[in-house]
C-alpha cells in the first residue's frame, strides 16, 4: 500500500524505510540540538546564546525549551498527526530539541532522539488504531478541521497587508483573493482553491514592501549630503556585526552536519508522511502534494527574516532551516534527489546567512512584512482550528460535544492558557472524545450517528 493511501486513510502506518528515516532523523536532530547548533522552536533560539557562552546551564535551557514546547507537542502535534495520519514538525522536532538539550553526554543525545523516533513510528500507530475502534471516534471527527483550516488559511496575505499597509490595500487584497478562490473552484476544481489567491496575495505584500523601501531610500539619498549619501555604515561600526560574524562562522564550521540535516528533512518530506504545517498536513493526507508545496513555500516568506536574525544573533540555526526543503521535498520524484537537493539547499542557506542578514537590514519594510505574515498566519489558523474543533465536537457529540470542547477551551483561556491557544482546541477535542466515551460506557450518552 502506498504512503498516499495510508495518509489519506488517517493511518499512522509506515514502511521500513520510512520508519528508519524518522528514527535516524530524530537521532540527528537531537544530536544537533545537544551541540546547540540548531533547534526547531523559534522561541527557544534566542536563549541559546547564553547557553553557548556558558551563562546558562543545560538544565535551565531545558526548562525553557520544555515550557515553550510541551503545549505544542501534546496539544497540536499529536492531535494533528493522529487525525491526519501525517507527521508534523511539532511532534517530530520539538521533542528532540528538549531531549538533545537535556542530554548530559554527547553520545546519549542521538540515542534519546532515536528512542523518540521509535515512539513516533511504532506507538502512535497503535494509539491511532485503538482510538478508531472506540464508540466515539474522535480522531475521525477531527478531520472536520480540514475545511476551515484550508480555506481560512488562504486569507493570511490579505490580513498581513492590512496590518502593515492599511485597510484600503488590505480590503483590495481580500476582494482579489476572494475572486481568485471562486474562480479557481469554478475553472480548476482539482486545484487547491486557495493556491492562486495566496500566490497573488503574497506577491502583493512583497510588492508593497519593496516599493516602500525603494521610496524611503530615495528620500534618504535626496535629504543627505553627497558625502553622507556615498558612505554606508560599515560592519566595524555596528556593535552587532562582530556577534553576527562569529555566529555565521560557527555555523559554517559545521556545514557538513547541516548538509546531512537538510538531506534528512528533505527526504522525510519527499516520503509524503510529513507535513510542515496545519494546512499542509491535511493537503498531504489528501494526496495534494503540489498544493502542500505552495502553502509551505508562501510560509517561507514569513520566517526567513526571523530565522536569519535569530540564528545570527544566537549562533543556533533552525532544524528545518528556512523550511524551503519542505516544498522541494514534496515535489521531488525520488528519495535520491531529495537527499541531494536537501543537502545543497541547507549548504546555500548557511553560506549566505550573513548576506541575507545584511540585505534584510537594508529593507526594513520587507523585514517587517515577515512579522505581519506570521501574525496573520496565527490569526487565521487560530480561528480555523477553533472553528474546526467545534465542528469536530458537534460531529462526535452534538450539543454535548460542543459544550465539553468549547467549555474546556474557555476554561483554558480564563485559567491563563495552561495550554497555548493554538493547541488548546485540538487538545480539548481529544479530552472531550475521551469524556464522551466514558459517558457512553456509563450508559449516559448515545454517540451521534454519522
Amino acid at each position: 500500500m502506498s504512503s498516499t493511501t495510508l495518509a489519506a486513510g488517517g493511518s499512522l502506518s509506515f514502511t521500513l524505510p520510512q520508519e528508519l528515516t524518522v528514527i535516524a532523523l530524530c537521532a540527528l536532530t537531537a544530536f544537533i540540538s545537544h551541540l546547540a547548533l540548531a533547534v526547531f522552536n523559534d522561541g527557544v533560539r534566542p536563549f541559546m546564546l547564553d547557553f553557548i557562552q556558558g551563562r546558562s546551564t543545560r538544565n535551565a535551557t531545558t526548562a525553557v525549551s520544555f515550557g515553550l514546547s510541551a503545549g505544542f507537542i501534546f496539544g497540536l502535534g499529536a492531535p494533528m498527526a493522529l487525525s491526519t495520519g501525517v507527521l508534523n514538525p511539532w511532534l517530530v522536532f520539538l521533542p528532540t530539541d528538549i531531549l538533545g538539550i537535556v542530554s548530559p553526554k554527547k553520545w546519549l543525545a542521538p540515542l534519546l532522539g532515536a528512542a523518540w523516533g521509535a515512539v513516533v513510528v511504532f506507538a502512535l500507530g497503535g494509539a491511532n488504531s485503538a482510538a478508531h475502534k472506540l464508540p466515539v471516534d474522535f480522531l475521525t471527527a477531527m478531520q472536520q478541521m480540514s475545511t476551515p483550516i484550508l480555506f481560512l488559511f488562504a486569507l493570511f496575505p490579505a490580513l498581513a497587508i492590512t496590518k502593515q499597509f492599511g485597510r484600503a490595500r488590505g480590503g483590495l487584497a481580500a476582494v482579489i483573493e476572494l475572486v481568485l478562490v471562486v474562480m479557481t473552484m469554478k475553472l480548476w476544481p482539482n486545484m487547491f482553491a486557495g493556491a492562486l489567491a495566496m500566490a497573488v496575495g503574497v506577491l502583493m505584500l512583497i510588492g508593497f514592501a519593496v516599493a516602500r523601501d525603494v521610496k524611503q531610500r530615495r528620500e534618504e539619498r535626496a535629504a543627505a549630503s553627497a558625502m553622507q549619501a556615498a558612505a554606508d555604515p560599515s560592519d566595524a561600526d555596528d556593535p552587532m556585526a562582530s556577534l553576527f560574524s562569529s555566529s555565521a562562522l560557527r555555523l559554517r564550521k559545521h556545514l557538513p552536519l547541516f548538509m546531512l540535516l537538510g538531506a534528512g528533512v528533505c527526504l522525510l518530506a519527499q516520503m509524503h508522511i510529513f507535513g510542515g504545517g496545519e494546512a499542509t498536513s491535511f493537503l498531504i493526507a489528501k494526496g495534494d502534494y503540489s498544493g502542500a508545496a505552495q502553502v509551505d513555500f508562501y510560509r517561507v516568506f514569513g520566517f526567513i527574516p526571523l530565522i536569519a536574525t535569530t540564528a545570527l544573533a544566537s549562533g543556533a540555526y533552525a532544524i528545518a532551516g528556512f523550511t524551503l526543503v519542505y516544498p522541494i521535498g514534496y515535489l521531488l520524484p525520488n528519495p535520491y534527489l531529495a537527499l541531494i537537493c536537501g543537502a545543497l539547499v541547507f549548504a546555500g542557506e548557511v553560506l549566505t546567512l550573513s548576506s541575507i542578514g545584511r540585505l534584510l537590514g537594508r529593507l526594513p519594510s520587507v523585514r517587517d512584512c515577515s512579522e505581519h505574515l506570521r501574525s496573520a498566519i496565527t490569526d487565521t489558523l487560530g480561528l480555523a482550528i477553533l472553528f474546526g474543533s467545534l465542528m469536530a465536537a458537534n460531529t462526535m457529540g452534538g450539543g454535548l460535544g460542543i459544550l465539553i470542547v468549547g467549555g474546556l477551551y474557555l476554561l483554558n483561556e480564563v485559567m491563563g492558557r495552561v495550554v497555548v491557544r493554538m493547541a488548546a482546541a485540538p487538545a480539548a477535542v481529544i479530552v472531550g472524545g475521551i469524556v464522551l466515551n466514558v459517558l457512553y460506557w456509563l450508559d449516559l450518552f448515545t454517540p451521534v450517528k454519522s
Side-chain angles (χ1 to χ4, degrees), residues 245-263:
S245 178
S246 62
S247 295
L249 180 61
R250 178 177 187 264
L251 297 176
R252 285 197 294 269
K253 285 181 178 178
H254 296 88
L255 186 61
L257 195 57
F258 281 113
M259 293 177 69
L260 182 61
L261 175 63

Side-chain angles (χ1 to χ4, degrees), residues 58-317:
R58 187 171 292 277
N59 287 339
T61 309
T62 300
V64 170
S65 181
F66 182 83
L68 293 175
S69 302
F72 286 101
I73 296 169
F74 301 109
L76 187 60
M80 288 295 295
L82 289 169
S83 61
T84 63
V86 177
L87 301 179
N88 57 69
W90 307 287
L91 182 65
V92 177
F93 298 141
L94 286 182
T96 59
D97 279 1
I98 300 168
L99 294 172
I101 297 173
V102 75
S103 175
K105 301 293 183 180
K106 188 182 295 187
W107 59 267
L108 182 59
L111 293 180
L112 293 175
W116 175 253
V119 169
V120 168
V121 296
F122 296 122
L124 281 179
N128 181 279
S129 299
H132 281 302
K133 294 177 182 177
L134 292 172
V136 180
D137 185 357
F138 53 88
L139 294 185
T140 299
M142 287 184 72
Q143 294 176 7
Q144 294 289 326
M145 291 193 297
S146 64
T147 299
I149 286 177
L150 292 175
F151 277 85
L152 286 175
F153 186 76
L155 279 176
F156 80 85
L159 267 65
I161 291 172
T162 305
K163 289 172 180 285
Q164 188 170 7
F165 298 103
R167 288 177 287 184
R169 292 181 180 180
L172 175 63
V175 171
I176 291 174
E177 286 200 47
L178 177 60
V179 170
L180 290 174
V181 168
V182 174
M183 186 175 71
T184 302
M185 294 176 68
K186 181 68 175 178
L187 300 178
W188 306 288
N190 294 326
M191 180 189 296
F192 170 46
L196 185 58
M198 284 190 293
V200 172
V202 170
L203 287 174
M204 289 177 67
L205 175 64
I206 295 174
F208 290 147
V210 171
R212 174 179 286 182
D213 284 334
V214 170
K215 179 180 179 181
Q216 183 176 345
R217 288 181 69 84
R218 286 175 179 172
E219 291 175 350
E220 289 173 354
R221 290 194 193 99
S225 64
M227 182 179 297
Q228 291 172 330
D232 285 324
S234 66
D235 287 345
D237 297 327
D238 186 354
M240 296 297 291
S242 59
L243 174 61
F244 280 17
S245 178
S246 62
S247 295
L249 180 61
R250 178 177 187 264
L251 297 176
R252 285 197 294 269
K253 285 181 178 178
H254 296 88
L255 186 61
L257 195 57
F258 281 113
M259 293 177 69
L260 182 61
L261 175 63
V265 176
C266 195
L267 175 61
L268 184 65
Q270 191 277 332
M271 289 179 165
H272 300 149
I273 59 170
F274 174 90
E278 301 88 346
T280 315
S281 293
F282 284 108
L283 288 168
I284 292 291
K286 294 173 183 291
D288 186 358
Y289 308 132
S290 61
Q294 287 177 297
V295 169
D296 273 354
F297 178 72
Y298 303 140
R299 288 173 66 114
V300 167
F301 296 101
F303 288 90
I304 285 181
L306 172 69
I307 292 170
T309 52
T310 55
L312 289 170
S314 68
Y317 198 43

Side-chain angles (χ1 to χ4, degrees), residues 318-329:
I319 287 294
F322 292 147
T323 70
L324 276 170
V325 288
Y326 292 166
I328 291 172

